[in-house]
Amino acid sequence: MKPLVPFVRNVEWEPHDELVEQLRAAMPEIDVVVHADIPSERLGEATVAVVDGPSAEQLSSLSNLRFVQSTWAGVEAILPAVPEGVAVARMVDPQLALTMAEAVLAWTLYLHRDMPRYARQQTAREWIEQPPVRASSRRVSVLGLGALGTVAATTLRDQRFDVAGWSRSPKLVDGVECHHGTDGFTAVLERSDIVINLLPHTAATVGLLGTDAFASMRPGSSIVNFGRGPTIDDDALLAALDSGHLDHAVLDVFDVEPLPESHRFWSHPSVTVLPHISGPTSTDTAAIIAADNIRRFLADGTMPSDAMVDRERGY
């Protein structure tokens, strides 16, 4: 009999048929079954599961679970559902990093080339040429130099932007001015024309970009949030935009998603709202990576060292 690997997704969500079929194609020697379709007498067979937003009830039914492979890069919504003692691997996918870097570059260029200002001029029927700025003179900083942030920073570097990065611990990235720790965080904000947030959601990052952080940023600078919504204090950001201290914010992630219709971000002239599209999972490549990790675990218990989640850190 083939080893059983449940695909576990919150019962309130629509089935992810495409991903399930791609997982089955990537590991035909393994029986990938949607959790709801597994007979109760077989639930105890599973030692590993693929999860895509699971509930605690679903995972607790897998009494012998030892290893969880997530299809997401972020795990803050998954960890509370995973029983203590069960190892969790986030999705580390080079294609996801490239997709995110593409979005970072696109919206950096949007700000760099003054697209928000030209949009306002069009509304006002104003024909005004803004003075150009060379990419080499535009200081862009990436908050978070993990698997996604490093590729984003080097992509910006290769487009000749003046790039810096910040991380919790020291990092070295060729051609990128790297900072870390509290002092480094302030230094990065003070030097930046555009700040790109790619930090994960942890206890340490909630509200990190608030009144003090925005006051540290250069007058007329802009921010892009492709990390997690709770990293930004919404009221502090709106105050910084209303005062003119910050010029524009491109926001793809929010405290509550979908963004409520009543939220001021929708109508604010200095905010671009995106529907969480900057770094979608590429299901075809994610299925292959998940299959490789699961095969190794089932063969000898090996887990992907570059993807294992530290519960204390939250990522």
Side-chain angles (χ1 to χ4, degrees), residues 193-254:
D193 299 308
I194 300 171
V195 172
I196 314 289
N197 177 49
L198 293 178
L199 293 169
H201 179 174
T202 69
T205 63
V206 172
L208 182 65
L209 293 171
T211 300
D212 292 343
F214 296 136
S216 297
M217 291 174 62
R218 294 168 55 83
S221 58
S222 297
I223 190 161
V224 176
N225 189 14
F226 287 168
R228 286 294 183 262
T231 305
I232 282 184
D233 180 327
D234 290 0
D235 291 337
L237 175 58
L238 286 165
L241 292 168
D242 289 342
S243 70
H245 180 67
L246 296 187
D247 183 66
H248 200 84
V250 176
L251 306 176
D252 185 51
V253 288
F254 306 91

Side-chain angles (χ1 to χ4, degrees), residues 37-59:
D37 297 335
I38 302 174
S40 58
E41 63 270 18
R42 292 199 66 194
L43 291 173
E45 295 178 22
T47 59
V48 59
V50 178
V51 302
D52 191 73
S55 70
E57 181 181 5
Q58 289 170 316
L59 293 184

Side-chain angles (χ1 to χ4, degrees), residues 131-214:
V133 177
R134 293 188 181 92
S136 59
S137 298
R138 185 76 74 187
R139 288 163 290 191
V140 184
S141 294
V142 177
L143 305 181
L145 290 175
L148 301 183
T150 297
V151 177
T154 55
T155 299
L156 293 168
R157 176 204 65 194
D158 292 347
Q159 293 300 314
R160 298 182 177 83
F161 286 103
D162 182 353
V163 184
W166 179 83
S167 54
R168 192 175 93 161
S169 55
K171 296 285 180 69
L172 289 175
V173 181
D174 188 40
V176 175
E177 179 185 312
C178 294
H179 298 260
H180 70 280
T182 303
D183 292 343
F185 182 70
T186 301
V188 160
L189 296 180
E190 290 177 344
R191 58 88 67 190
S192 303
D193 299 308
I194 300 171
V195 172
I196 314 289
N197 177 49
L198 293 178
L199 293 169
H201 179 174
T202 69
T205 63
V206 172
L208 182 65
L209 293 171
T211 300
D212 292 343
F214 296 136

